[in-house]
Amino acid sequence: MKLLLVEDEVRLAKALAELLRREGYEVDHCADGLSGRDAVESGTYDAIILDVMLPGIDGFAIAREARRAKIKTPILMLTAKGELDDKVTGLDSGADDYLIKPFQSAELLARLRALLRRNLPTDDGSLSFGDIALKQGTARLTCVKTGQEVRLGEKEYRLLEYLIANQGQILTREQIAVRIWGYDSDAEYNNVEVYVSFTRKKLHFVGAETEIKAVRGVGYELRYRHV
Ligand code: CA
């Protein structure tokens, strides 16, 4: 699970990032509103922890812009104590939940888990779409119709996980590259094509009618060829 933390208070940001990494999350951090907005709008995170008062653009504006841009990533907003209207403004602006500073680590983690669960349609830790299911932890792809299974490589797994979590949406090559290889990597967009091709072969292998559809000039989308 990949998280974005947008927080300008250096010590708090550092402590939060450490806490989240210890819990097994991958964390990217932005320390101002502008870089935060760009990262949020990349649409490549499972959840976003967004501070309200930021240099550049505030958290409310970032959340509003993200929702206008059809970014559906769950947002947990951090607001300072005493800013009474923040709760209302935060939820109005498109945040999914809010937390008042100072807060307990356990509370932050609990709220975060609740937000992340919304992306997981089943109770047993598997993601599903069309006729396929993806078991978390084991990285197994199953076709529920044929009963066939195959093991996925790490990047294939992350690609399918990302496509399933964003079902009904077209993901660009850039979004996929950032999601799988990160901002700092040298990955070229044609790496995305290579992994899409590997993953398609595995979908074919298990006899799935779910396919990774290329949308010309845009990117990829998961479709189910229901006959
Ligand atoms: Ca702040």
Side-chain angles (χ1 to χ4, degrees):
M1 288 284 173
K2 196 167 178 179
L3 307 179
L4 174 67
L5 172 65
V6 188
E7 169 61 72
D8 60 317
E9 287 167 48
V10 179
R11 285 179 58 191
L12 177 62
K14 220 177 147 192
L16 283 179
E18 265 170 35
L19 168 77
L20 295 166
R21 287 184 184 122
R22 265 205 309 277
E23 292 293 313
Y25 298 108
E26 271 182 72
V27 183
D28 283 350
H29 170 234
C30 293
D32 66 87
L34 287 167
S35 63
R37 180 188 60 187
D38 290 348
V40 166
E41 292 190 359
S42 72
T44 57
Y45 295 95
D46 294 299
I48 296 160
I49 300 168
L50 182 61
D51 185 33
V52 170
M53 295 306 290
L54 293 163
I57 310 174
D58 72 32
F60 296 139
I62 293 175
R64 262 195 305 273
E65 280 190 35
R67 297 307 183 227
R68 259 203 303 269
K70 304 271 184 277
I71 302 286
K72 295 174 187 161
T73 319
I75 297 176
L76 174 60
M77 208 159 240
L78 305 180
T79 113
K81 202 174 177 181
E83 294 171 321
L84 281 178
D85 292 334
D86 279 5
K87 178 182 169 184
V88 176
T89 317
L91 296 175
D92 281 354
S93 67
D96 299 273
D97 200 1
Y98 73 97
L99 203 52
I100 292 171
K101 290 176 176 178
F103 49 82
Q104 302 286 323
S105 306
E107 167 119 52
L108 174 82
L109 294 173
R111 301 284 188 95
L112 198 54
R113 279 194 296 272
L115 285 187
L116 290 166
R117 267 200 298 276
R118 301 189 328 176
N119 277 346
L120 302 175
T122 60
D123 297 333
D124 66 348
S126 70
L127 291 162
S128 58
F129 176 86
D131 58 354
I132 60 165
L134 203 56
K135 275 256 171 62
Q136 295 194 306
T138 65
R140 285 195 171 276
L141 167 68
T142 308
C143 176
V144 293
K145 271 192 174 166
T146 64
Q148 299 272 14
E149 270 194 2
V150 71
R151 199 178 166 79
L152 296 174
E154 190 225 338
K155 292 189 171 60
E156 297 162 351
Y157 176 84
R158 292 178 66 171
L159 173 66
L160 264 187
E161 179 189 53
Y162 189 37
L163 285 164
I164 291 174
N166 291 281
Q167 49 192 267
Q169 272 181 275
I170 299 165
L171 296 172
T172 65
R173 283 181 181 78
E174 187 185 9
Q175 284 178 313
I176 294 169
V178 167
R179 169 65 191 223
I180 296 179
W181 286 276
Y183 276 107
D184 305 326
S185 80
D186 302 324
E188 302 284 341
Y189 296 158
N190 57 13
N191 286 7
V192 173
E193 278 164 45
V194 169
Y195 279 93
V196 164
S197 151
F198 289 162
T199 310
R200 278 176 172 155
K201 285 192 183 112
K202 296 210 169 160
L203 286 168
H204 183 73
F205 177 82
V206 297
E209 289 183 81
T210 295
E211 60 178 5
I212 303 173
K213 188 104 185 133
V215 183
R216 221 191 168 83
V218 187
Y220 296 98
E221 184 187 9
L222 214 49
R223 296 248 182 97
Y224 180 45
R225 282 179 286 157
H226 193 62
V227 193

